[in-house]
Amino acid sequence: MPQATAQIPFIPNLQPPNLRTSESDSRTVTGWVYLDGRRLFQITAPRANFTERLENIQENINQISQEYFQNPDAKLDVQVKTENGLPVIYVNNRQLMTITDQDARLRQVDAWTLANQISRSLREQLEQAKQEREPEFLVRQGAIAVGCGLSILVISWGLTRWKNRSQRTFIQQQLASTASPTARPITTQLNQQQQRHIQEVTKRLYQIGQIGIWGGGALFILGLFPHTRSLQLGIFLGLQFPVILGAVAIGTYVSVRLSYLLIDRFTSAFVSSSALLTPETSERLQLRVSTISGVTKSIVTIVCVGVGILCALLALGIDVVPLLAGAGLVGVAVSLASQNLIKDAINGFLIILEDQYALGDVISVGTVGGLVENLNLRMTQVRDAEGRLITIPNSEIKIVANLSSRWSRADLTVPVDYKTDIDEALNLIKKVAIEMDEDPKWQHQIVETPQVLGIDNFGDRGLLIRVWIKTQPLKQWDVAREFRRRLKIAFDHAGIFIPVPQQAIWVNDAQLLVSPDSRVRDQQSKVNGHQ
């Protein structure tokens, strides 16, 4: 009785017939003959008649094996006879195949030696296959199948428990990082991104694990029994290329996610360094970290996808050397035809390197401007005040105004009436600015003590007083709105008026200054004089 085993062929050995070139440059094809999903021997033939020969031999072995299995008392007789100078294998007086010179050259032996080797292997395999159909063997394999099924259930349940526990841990860590009062915003964001990448990788690994457990277990059970082993082989052959491509795609995806995790972890450690985070550079460093991290992730994604494509081509047996050479030529042609893309990439690299602006900055480029929402090596996208998303190629950015680099300023012009006591107005404006600077709600947003510069100009409505308030980046508009509100209330209490537009009309025609009654009397007198 043979040992109870399952037949699991290796995927690399399950390739379809491959082409071989002989010394005479005539194409030949090689393939395997199977019995119950197990390989018996390999044959070769010219491409024109290979399929016919393989199907004929496979049909003969199937008929011989069925007759041998159905008759419990049948004896196995394997003989090698000579026909037309070539060895011919017979099994129970039924012709199986003729050993050709091409078969012998494939194994690098003479035809008679190969015929004897195939005969011995065929006898052993047929005897083993018949023993595997005995009830005792099938009962033993059934017990193994039941144990395998229970093991699959236990492993799948354990994997599900591990996935649920990791998900609960992820939620707890996310809540803890959000609720931490000492955590910096950028650090909290990076930690949350790390947890999301870990959660995504865990989710995909869980799905792959479940597919591997159930699919692998099912294939193992199919390989336990001789009647289903052929089905196992067919599934392997049918899923060979999809499995290879799927494995490469999953590996590429997991590599990208792990790269994102490493980038976020490195940037988080970089930001958390106390030596680098001074009050002057903290906010700016956070913006730069977000920008560089996003650009690095884009580059890593492109590299990983490119390597994944090459691995997939290699796994499918495609020679990538000519493809790489052709890709180099195509790359040169594309680079010549798309010089603007190269300019975009170079200018984008310099923008990031020189810290001209970063994600979260408010910039003005030519006639457009807004909040920078996306920045990569090719383009910059800003959102203006009307909510429009404006895309600007980096090569088109020659002069850029950054309104939020390191600090900002609220530049205010306060108009007052000409009849106002100017010293009183200046003191009141300075008092309101100092009170706002000392307010705990606003003192963090105001970097320095506000400056009341004095009378800036004589306007057509009144005097114009200039005020500067240095603020944190992007806080100048909030501070300016609050300052105007407080100043209006203070002006109302002090009786200081903000001038409104006025117009004065000067009439120089003397006739228009005479009353209508006098003009009527003059006309009557002129009429009486004529009479």
Side-chain angles (χ1 to χ4, degrees):
M1 182 67 63
Q3 185 179 359
T5 57
Q7 176 70 11
I8 302 289
F10 293 98
I11 290 180
N13 295 328
L14 292 178
Q15 298 179 356
N18 60 311
L19 297 179
R20 298 174 56 92
T21 304
S22 63
E23 296 179 356
S24 60
D25 199 25
S26 61
R27 290 184 176 270
T28 60
V29 183
T30 62
W32 287 90
V33 178
Y34 292 88
L35 174 63
D36 289 344
R38 289 196 180 104
R39 290 176 174 178
L40 286 177
F41 48 85
Q42 195 174 16
I43 65 170
T44 183
R47 184 171 190 158
N49 58 356
F50 171 79
T51 302
E52 181 181 358
R53 185 186 183 210
L54 179 63
E55 292 178 352
N56 185 26
I57 296 174
Q58 189 67 58
E59 183 179 357
N60 291 337
I61 194 66
N62 291 336
Q63 294 178 357
I64 292 171
S65 60
Q66 291 300 322
E67 294 177 357
Y68 177 62
F69 297 153
Q70 292 175 1
N71 187 0
D73 300 329
K75 301 297 182 180
L76 187 61
D77 182 20
V78 181
Q79 297 179 357
V80 179
K81 300 180 181 180
T82 303
E83 294 182 5
N84 298 326
L86 294 176
V88 180
I89 300 177
Y90 283 83
V91 179
N92 292 338
N93 297 323
R94 179 187 288 272
Q95 182 179 351
L96 175 62
M97 62 175 294
T98 300
I99 304 298
T100 63
D101 294 335
Q102 292 176 337
D103 296 332
R105 285 196 299 268
L106 177 65
R107 301 289 293 271
Q108 296 181 354
V109 293
D110 60 87
W112 285 96
T113 302
L114 178 60
N116 293 327
Q117 292 176 356
I118 293 176
S119 299
R120 288 193 298 269
S121 175
L122 186 60
R123 181 185 299 275
E124 295 174 357
Q125 294 293 334
L126 286 172
E127 291 177 351
Q128 180 180 351
K130 187 173 183 179
Q131 292 177 357
E132 288 179 350
R133 284 166 169 76
E134 298 293 332
E136 181 180 354
F137 179 85
L138 296 177
V139 170
R140 186 186 307 174
Q141 298 295 85
I144 295 176
V146 172
C148 179
L150 294 177
S151 300
I152 291 173
L153 291 175
V154 172
I155 296 175
S156 178
W157 175 79
L159 193 61
T160 303
R161 288 287 303 272
W162 169 76
K163 186 249 185 181
N164 294 334
R165 184 170 63 252
S166 63
Q167 188 173 8
R168 288 194 299 268
T169 304
F170 165 73
I171 295 175
Q172 293 174 358
Q173 291 177 350
Q174 196 172 25
L175 293 176
S177 62
T178 304
S180 177
T182 59
R184 299 183 178 91
I186 186 64
T187 304
T188 302
Q189 180 183 359
L190 291 173
N191 290 333
Q192 291 178 352
Q193 289 180 359
Q194 293 178 37
Q195 295 300 326
R196 283 197 295 270
H197 295 323
I198 294 175
Q199 182 71 8
E200 187 67 21
V201 172
T202 303
K203 180 180 178 181
R204 300 308 174 194
L205 291 179
Y206 168 77
Q207 295 174 350
I208 296 171
Q210 290 288 6
I211 294 174
I213 291 170
W214 288 96
L219 289 176
F220 180 82
I221 293 175
L222 290 176
L224 289 172
F225 304 96
H227 305 86
T228 59
R229 202 172 292 142
S230 299
L231 178 60
Q232 178 203 52
L233 177 63
I235 294 175
F236 266 119
L237 290 173
L239 298 180
Q240 179 180 357
F241 292 137
V243 167
I244 293 175
L245 297 178
V248 172
I250 293 171
T252 303
Y253 177 80
V254 173
S255 299
V256 170
R257 283 292 180 175
L258 291 178
S259 301
Y260 287 0
L261 174 62
L262 294 176
I263 293 172
D264 289 338
R265 182 157 295 181
F266 174 78
T267 52
S268 177
F270 187 79
V271 170
S272 300
S273 176
S274 58
L276 296 173
L277 280 178
T278 61
E280 293 80 10
T281 61
S282 173
E283 297 293 335
R284 192 65 200 167
L285 180 62
Q286 295 177 12
L287 294 179
R288 293 203 68 189
V289 163
S290 299
T291 304
I292 297 175
S293 175
V295 174
T296 305
K297 289 177 181 177
S298 300
I299 296 174
V300 168
T301 301
I302 295 174
V303 172
C304 290
V305 171
V307 173
I309 293 174
L310 291 178
C311 292
L313 294 177
L314 290 173
L316 295 176
I318 300 175
D319 189 6
V320 298
V321 175
L323 293 179
L324 292 177
L329 297 176
V330 173
V332 173
V334 171
S335 63
L336 295 176
S338 58
Q339 297 182 8
N340 289 334
L341 293 178
I342 299 176
K343 293 180 181 179
D344 291 341
I346 295 175
N347 201 28
F349 174 76
L350 293 176
I351 289 172
I352 298 171
L353 179 65
E354 298 172 355
D355 192 23
Q356 298 180 18
Y357 55 87
L359 291 175
D361 279 335
V362 176
I363 64 173
S364 176
V365 181
T367 59
V368 300
L371 178 68
V372 179
E373 287 193 356
N374 184 24
L375 172 61
N376 53 43
L377 295 179
R378 193 185 68 84
M379 66 178 181
T380 299
Q381 290 183 319
V382 298
R383 182 82 63 177
D384 66 2
E386 298 181 5
R388 297 175 298 183
L389 184 64
I390 303 173
T391 301
I392 310 171
N394 290 332
S395 60
E396 300 296 328
I397 299 177
K398 307 299 182 182
I399 300 176
V400 57
N402 193 335
L403 307 182
S404 58
S405 178
R406 295 174 178 82
W407 56 271
S408 299
R409 174 180 288 160
D411 188 2
L412 302 169
T413 300
V414 182
V416 296
D417 194 88
Y418 278 109
K419 298 179 181 181
T420 302
D421 186 347
I422 190 60
D423 292 332
E424 180 184 358
L426 291 174
N427 291 332
L428 182 59
I429 293 173
K430 186 174 182 180
K431 178 182 177 182
V432 172
I434 292 175
E435 289 178 353
M436 184 175 176
D437 183 31
E438 295 175 350
D439 190 340
K441 182 179 178 181
W442 296 96
Q443 63 182 0
H444 175 69
Q445 301 183 21
I446 300 176
V447 177
E448 295 179 357
T449 303
Q451 302 178 26
V452 181
L453 303 180
I455 300 176
D456 193 57
N457 199 357
F458 294 95
D460 56 354
R461 297 190 301 169
L463 301 173
L464 301 179
I465 301 175
R466 193 77 170 269
V467 180
W468 279 359
I469 305 178
K470 189 175 181 180
T471 69
Q472 295 285 350
L474 300 178
K475 300 299 181 183
Q476 64 268 36
W477 298 290
D478 295 338
V479 171
R481 295 187 189 98
E482 178 64 16
F483 181 76
R484 292 190 185 98
R485 186 188 69 84
R486 296 188 178 207
L487 192 60
K488 175 62 172 62
I489 296 174
F491 276 2
D492 291 343
H493 286 301
I496 297 176
F497 298 101
I498 297 175
V500 296
Q502 299 179 2
Q503 291 182 348
I505 301 176
W506 297 83
V507 181
N508 294 324
D509 193 348
Q511 294 181 358
L512 296 177
L513 300 176
V514 180
S515 64
D517 295 338
S518 62
R519 290 200 298 269
V520 172
R521 288 195 299 269
D522 291 341
Q523 291 176 358
Q524 290 178 352
S525 62
K526 290 179 180 180
V527 172
N528 294 331
H530 287 296
Q531 291 177 352

